[in-house]
């Protein structure tokens, strides 16, 4: 019982937060909406009263032939003016609502983007997070605006309903009671099916995400070659249709049950209208009211029934939206796992770049497998370290820890003697230049593709050109139609595609753009390059790693020969260390790996 009450209170809180969100993003438009609501709520009453006056004047004129037409025409003109004003207010309200909706949608998207950037990498490796994100993205972009509009519409209907209710109550309290009772079943049906829809929607989310994934596989360029070569289009299309059909059938079934229930309850409301009409007709026949009053009360009852049904519908809609908007605010309430220190330590103004791994162990969340175990080593300032090992040895995970994308499960990582957990993550990352193995392909201009490596130089072409020259990619760039202003990739008009090796050179240029950063990390920096291009890049790397603490990860052991020291990982443990010559003399794991690769070149 207490849990149910707490849940309802929480939903009310979400409604209030949604209203506050809309007010923060569009205060002037929200105020304009409120004023328009008040004005639109008054006009129906004025229209009803004018209708009564017109009919009564006409009735009097029929019994008195000498009556002038002028008073009737004046009343009709006033009624027409009221109707025109109403039309104008509705049009203005529509524009205000559309403008507000556009602004709020963008505002909500910005909140989603900010939270997506804020949460840690751990969330992106959790399927439940993607369900959560999908629910927030599909509903949150429009729900806050709907909630505020429902509040406004509820206010509009309620104000008009109060006036009409008082009018009917002054005529006959029984008719006012019929009005209320007839609308309640429709309201209860709407509440019931709102709850069912929400429960179904939560169950559909994984299926909808999977269907979207199959759609992406079929329509996006990333998998286009294999889709065609392996004839996968029909298979993935069939799976998409199977998932969508299951969801579609459940939606249609739910809609059918809802429509049937609403038709039954709506029939009772229709009977109530004619019952009230009969009572009014009886009064008119007895001479208790005029024909104009009969028309006014009958229209008031019809209008009142519509307003009451709308008001209850808006209440049900608010309830429904409170269910769906909950996912959005729960998403915004996600907390980063990488905790920002309350009082972060400060790195020295001139960072030396000494890195210490002190008995570091790590396991990924929701996994019992240990990826790194008791790693203990120190990288001295200016030293170039290579990390090698088989797939799954923990090489890239080590780099993620150093960038503080994760925190160690045990042990500590220190930078110039300071534990990374005592530093702000942003301060750590501003001192690191890195190229990951799965580097990004930005469908932006060449200048922007390189400039993302250091946003301080985003608009400064000179250092970008220098980085491109070091990465040996400038000759390719100069051959592009617009040079550094050429858009890369084929997603946008006039885009130019690069080869995999050329894309990798662009990624390397990003890291070279941060030439003044004291720590350089290269994860498989030459995996897509041909031997000659690799040799050129390695020569440049030799120059750029001077006086910088550098870490290079590579399966191609020719890349790591120039390193001052090589660390060999196996199953998360460091099993060998030394330079190339020392490790070859040991005839251990490194020598075996090197000789295995060298065998294919002999």
């Amino acid at each position: 019982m207490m849990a149910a009450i707490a849940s309802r209170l929480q939903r009310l809180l979400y409604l209030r937060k949604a209203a506050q969100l809309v007010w923060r993003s569009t205060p002037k438009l929200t105020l304009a909406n409120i004023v328009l609501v008040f004005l639109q709520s008054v006009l129906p009453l004025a229209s009803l009263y004018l209708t009564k006056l017109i009919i009564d004047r006409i009735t009097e004129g029929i019994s008195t032939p000498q009556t002038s037409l002028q008073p009737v025409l004046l009343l009709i003109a006033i009624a027409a003016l009221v109707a025109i004003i109403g039309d104008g207010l509705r049009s203005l309200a529509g524009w205000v609502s559309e403008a507000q909706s556009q602004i709020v949608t963008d505002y909500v998207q910005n909140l989603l983007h900010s939270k997506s950037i804020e949460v840690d990498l751990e969330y992106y490796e959790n399927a439940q997070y993607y369900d959560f994100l999908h629910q927030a993205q599909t509903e949150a972009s429009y729900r806050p605006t709907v909630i505020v509009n429902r509040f406004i519409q509820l206010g509009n209907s309620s104000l008009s309903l109060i006036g009409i209710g008082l009018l009917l109550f002054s005529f006959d309290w029984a008719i006012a009671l019929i009005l209320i009772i007839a609308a309640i079943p429709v309201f209860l049906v709407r509440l019931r099916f709102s709850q069912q829809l929400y429960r179904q929607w939560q169950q559909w989310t994984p299926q909808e995400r999977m269907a979207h994934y199959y759609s992406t596989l079929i329509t996006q360029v990333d998998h286009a070659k294999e889709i065609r070569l392996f004839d996968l289009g029909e298979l993935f299309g069939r799976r998409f249709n199977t998932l969508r059909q299951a969801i579609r059938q459940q939606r249609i079934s739910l809609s059918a049950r809802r429509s049937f229930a609403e038709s039954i309850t709506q029939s009772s409301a229709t009977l109530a209208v004619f019952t009230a009409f009969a009572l009014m007709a009886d009064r008119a026949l007895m001479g208790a009211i005029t024909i104009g009053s009969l028309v006014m009360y009958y229209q008031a009852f019809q209008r009142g029934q519509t307003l009451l049904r709308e008001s209850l519908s808006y209440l049900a809609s608010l309830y429904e939206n409170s269910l769906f908007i909950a996912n959005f605010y729960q998403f915004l309430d996600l907390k980063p796992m990488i905790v920002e220190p309350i009082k972060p330590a400060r790195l020295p103004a001139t960072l030396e770049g000494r890195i210490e791994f002190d008995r570091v162990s790590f396991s990924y969340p929701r996994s019992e497998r240990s990826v790194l175990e008791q790693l203990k080593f120190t990288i001295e300032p200016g030293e170039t370290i290579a990390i090698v090992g088989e797939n799954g040895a923990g090489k890239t995970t080590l780099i993620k820890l150093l960038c503080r994308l994760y925190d160690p499960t045990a042990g500590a990582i220190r930078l110039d003697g300071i534990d990374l957990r005592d530093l702000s993550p942003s301060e750590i990352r501003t001192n690191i230049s890195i190229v990951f193995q799965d580097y990004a392909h930005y469908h932006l201009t060449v200048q922007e593709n390189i400039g993302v490596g250091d946003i301080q130089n985003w608009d400064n072409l000179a250092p970008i050109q220098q980085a491109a020259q070091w990465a040996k990619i400038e000759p390719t760039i100069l051959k592009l139609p617009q040079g550094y202003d050429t858009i890369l990739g084929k997603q946008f008009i006039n885009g130019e595609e690069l080869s995999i090796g050329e894309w990798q050179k662009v990624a390397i240029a990003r890291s070279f753009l941060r030439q003044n950063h004291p720590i350089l990390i290269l994860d498989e920096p030459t995996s897509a390059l041909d031997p000659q291009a690799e040799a050129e890049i390695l020569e440049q790397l030799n120059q750029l790693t001077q006086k910088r603490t550098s870490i290079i990860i590579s399966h191609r052991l020719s890349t790591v020969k120039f390193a001052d020291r090589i660390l060999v990982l196996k199953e998360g443990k460091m099993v060998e260390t030394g330079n190339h010559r020392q490790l070859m003399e040991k005839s251990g794991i490194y020598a075996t790996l090197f000789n295995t690769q060298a065998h294919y070149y002999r």
Side-chain angles (χ1 to χ4, degrees), residues 25-184:
S25 57
T26 56
K28 293 180 180 178
L29 290 175
T30 304
L31 188 61
N33 241 332
I34 294 171
V35 172
L36 289 169
V37 163
F38 176 76
L39 294 175
Q40 289 182 92
S41 66
V42 174
L43 292 181
L45 291 172
S47 180
L48 283 173
Y49 187 67
L50 285 167
T51 300
K52 165 188 161 40
L53 293 179
I54 291 169
I55 292 175
D56 283 343
R57 284 295 177 94
I58 292 173
T59 304
E60 290 174 7
I62 293 173
S63 59
T64 310
Q66 302 300 321
T67 303
S68 172
L69 181 61
Q70 187 174 357
V72 175
L73 291 177
L74 178 61
L75 289 172
I76 291 174
I78 295 173
L81 179 61
V82 169
I84 291 171
I85 293 173
D87 291 338
L89 291 176
R90 278 190 295 274
S91 297
L92 182 58
W95 175 83
V96 169
S97 179
E98 176 63 22
Q100 187 180 50
S101 175
Q102 293 294 323
I103 295 171
V104 172
T105 296
D106 290 343
Y107 183 79
V108 169
Q109 286 295 341
N110 287 334
L111 291 177
L112 287 171
H113 293 163
S114 297
K115 177 56 66 172
S116 297
I117 295 168
E118 179 187 345
V119 297
D120 305 308
L121 199 62
E122 175 183 338
Y123 285 104
Y124 288 89
E125 296 172 352
N126 179 0
Q128 291 181 336
Y129 168 79
Y130 287 103
D131 286 348
F132 221 22
L133 176 62
H134 177 82
Q135 291 171 348
Q137 285 178 326
T138 55
E139 300 297 326
S141 60
Y142 70 94
R143 292 281 179 182
T145 307
V146 171
I147 287 172
V148 170
N149 285 338
R150 292 296 179 266
F151 270 125
I152 291 171
Q153 290 163 337
L154 178 61
N156 186 355
S157 297
S158 298
L159 288 174
S160 297
L161 184 60
I162 290 171
I164 287 176
L166 291 174
L167 177 64
L168 292 173
F169 191 83
S170 67
F171 171 64
D172 190 333
W173 64 268
I175 290 179
L177 185 61
I178 291 172
L179 174 68
I180 296 171
I181 293 174
I184 291 175

Side-chain angles (χ1 to χ4, degrees), residues 101-395:
S101 175
Q102 293 294 323
I103 295 171
V104 172
T105 296
D106 290 343
Y107 183 79
V108 169
Q109 286 295 341
N110 287 334
L111 291 177
L112 287 171
H113 293 163
S114 297
K115 177 56 66 172
S116 297
I117 295 168
E118 179 187 345
V119 297
D120 305 308
L121 199 62
E122 175 183 338
Y123 285 104
Y124 288 89
E125 296 172 352
N126 179 0
Q128 291 181 336
Y129 168 79
Y130 287 103
D131 286 348
F132 221 22
L133 176 62
H134 177 82
Q135 291 171 348
Q137 285 178 326
T138 55
E139 300 297 326
S141 60
Y142 70 94
R143 292 281 179 182
T145 307
V146 171
I147 287 172
V148 170
N149 285 338
R150 292 296 179 266
F151 270 125
I152 291 171
Q153 290 163 337
L154 178 61
N156 186 355
S157 297
S158 298
L159 288 174
S160 297
L161 184 60
I162 290 171
I164 287 176
L166 291 174
L167 177 64
L168 292 173
F169 191 83
S170 67
F171 171 64
D172 190 333
W173 64 268
I175 290 179
L177 185 61
I178 291 172
L179 174 68
I180 296 171
I181 293 174
I184 291 175
V186 179
F187 173 65
L188 295 177
V189 166
R190 179 72 184 271
L191 282 184
R192 176 189 169 193
F193 280 95
S194 292
Q195 291 174 329
Q196 290 187 16
L197 176 62
Y198 178 68
R199 286 195 297 268
Q200 289 286 99
W201 175 73
Q202 288 184 309
Q203 295 173 7
W204 290 329
T205 297
Q207 293 171 277
E208 287 186 328
R209 280 208 310 111
M210 182 60 74
H212 178 71
Y213 174 68
Y214 282 122
S215 177
T216 301
L217 289 179
I218 294 170
T219 59
Q220 299 297 315
V221 68
D222 296 344
H223 305 87
K225 294 189 292 293
E226 289 195 3
I227 292 290
R228 285 151 181 79
L229 288 172
F230 302 151
D231 195 20
L232 300 174
E234 184 178 349
L235 170 65
F236 292 160
R238 193 163 57 246
R239 291 188 175 182
F240 171 84
N241 288 329
T242 300
L243 290 165
R244 287 299 309 159
Q245 183 179 15
I247 296 172
R248 184 173 66 250
Q249 288 175 344
Q250 292 175 45
R251 282 185 180 274
I252 293 173
S253 175
L254 180 62
S255 178
R257 296 198 304 273
R258 178 174 181 167
S259 297
F260 177 75
E262 287 182 348
S263 68
I264 297 298
T265 54
Q266 190 57 50
S267 296
S268 64
T270 301
L271 289 175
V273 171
F274 287 97
T275 301
F277 191 30
L279 292 174
M280 294 174 190
D282 181 59
R283 293 288 183 88
L285 290 172
M286 293 173 59
I289 57 174
T290 64
I291 298 299
S293 296
L294 171 64
V295 174
M296 179 184 70
Y297 289 130
Y298 178 62
Q299 288 186 343
F301 185 86
Q302 285 186 310
R303 179 62 179 161
Q305 188 184 50
T306 300
L307 289 169
L308 183 57
R309 188 164 59 245
E310 287 177 351
S311 298
L312 295 177
S313 176
Y314 295 147
L315 283 172
S317 177
L318 285 169
Y319 173 77
E320 178 180 311
N321 280 281
S322 72
L323 295 173
F324 284 92
I325 201 68
N327 295 82
F328 170 61
Y329 283 105
Q330 288 166 5
F331 178 78
L332 293 185
D333 288 338
L334 292 176
K335 302 300 181 186
M337 302 298 180
I338 303 298
V339 181
E340 182 88 17
I342 298 175
K343 293 183 178 179
R346 302 293 299 178
L347 288 170
T350 303
L351 186 69
E352 293 184 0
R354 187 174 190 269
I355 300 169
E356 180 185 0
F357 276 67
D358 186 5
R359 297 183 178 86
V360 170
S361 297
F362 179 75
S363 296
Y364 281 102
R366 293 167 297 281
S367 173
E368 297 181 359
R369 185 174 71 90
S370 180
V371 181
L372 298 175
E373 291 186 29
Q374 295 289 307
L375 283 187
K376 184 175 177 62
F377 62 88
T378 299
I379 306 175
E380 297 298 336
E383 187 178 15
T384 297
I385 293 292
I387 303 175
V388 301
E390 298 175 344
N391 289 332
K395 304 183 294 297

